[in-house]
Amino acid sequence: MGRVGLVTDARYRQHDTGYGHPECAERCDAVVQALQASGVFGRLTRIEAREATQAELELCHTASYMELVRHEHALGCEQLSTGDTPLSPETLTAATLAAGGAMRAVDAVIEGEVSSAFCLVRPPGHHAEADRGMGFCLYNNVALAARYSQRTHGLTRVAIIDWDVHHGNGTQAIFWNDPSVHFFSTHQAPWYPGTGAADESGGPAAPGATLNRPFPAGAGRHDILGAFEQDLAAALDAFQPEMLFISAGFDSRRDDPLGGFCAHRSGLRRPHAGGPPPR
Ligand SMILES: [Zn+2]
């Protein structure tokens, strides 16, 4: 395993979702504190975020949707009209930095600066569709990064793996009919946002490019890892992606207030036999 990159920026903290909101700035602090406590933080290669351009956001979003976002943000709306997504004065900057930060991670991996990268960005993205933000998400960061890897770096086959407890409806919708992007999701069902049934498997031009594995509340490591080891492994063997993107929502952990899965943090860790994490 080579060097691991970390994208983060103090401005992600400034996206203010209001008192008591689960998608809060303290999430970033908790991750950084855990990385520091484990001794991993100092070994990470810091990758500086940048703001995505309008043209880059249009890789996945409609111009009319972005106009709506700018208009409602300028009006001082506290919620986006298309879905339950809080807005605050610094939200637009944070959101364009979140998308652009993920694109910088793509650059760093493809240029060989790091072998993988973790994007500690907010607001999150996987519920955002081409013309509709929802579920705390404004722009679909992972979808934008995947499309950016294709348009800017010429990749032809990429895969997006979503282990958030919620279905990544936005990511699925954006690539529904696109055979160049494989989308795999494990999620709780029935649960928000209601999509992600096992028979949702891609549009007419991309049959099988979407692979959904819904599980009932109470599912844990055995169920979720089973889907990864069997279904995902077989799909990736056949698809041979050039880059993997992970929608790493950690609300699939036990006791998360927004989900009913029972995964323990050891179930989310790369398997290795004890000792310090691999370098
Ligand atoms: Zn979630």
Side-chain angles (χ1 to χ4, degrees), residues 125-138:
H126 77 152
H127 293 306
E129 301 185 2
D131 59 356
R132 177 168 73 134
M134 56 185 277
F136 320 157
C137 302
L138 211 65

Side-chain angles (χ1 to χ4, degrees), residues 75-116:
L75 285 177
C77 300
E78 294 185 349
Q79 287 279 333
L80 194 63
S81 63
T82 61
D84 51 339
T85 299
L87 298 174
S88 72
E90 304 305 327
T91 295
L92 221 46
T93 299
T96 53
L97 275 172
M103 293 172 187
R104 284 283 293 112
V106 169
D107 293 336
V109 170
I110 288 179
E111 290 161 8
E113 187 184 345
V114 295
S115 59
S116 61

Side-chain angles (χ1 to χ4, degrees), residues 126-127 164-166 251:
H126 77 152
H127 293 306
D164 191 282
V165 76
H166 305 100
D251 48 10

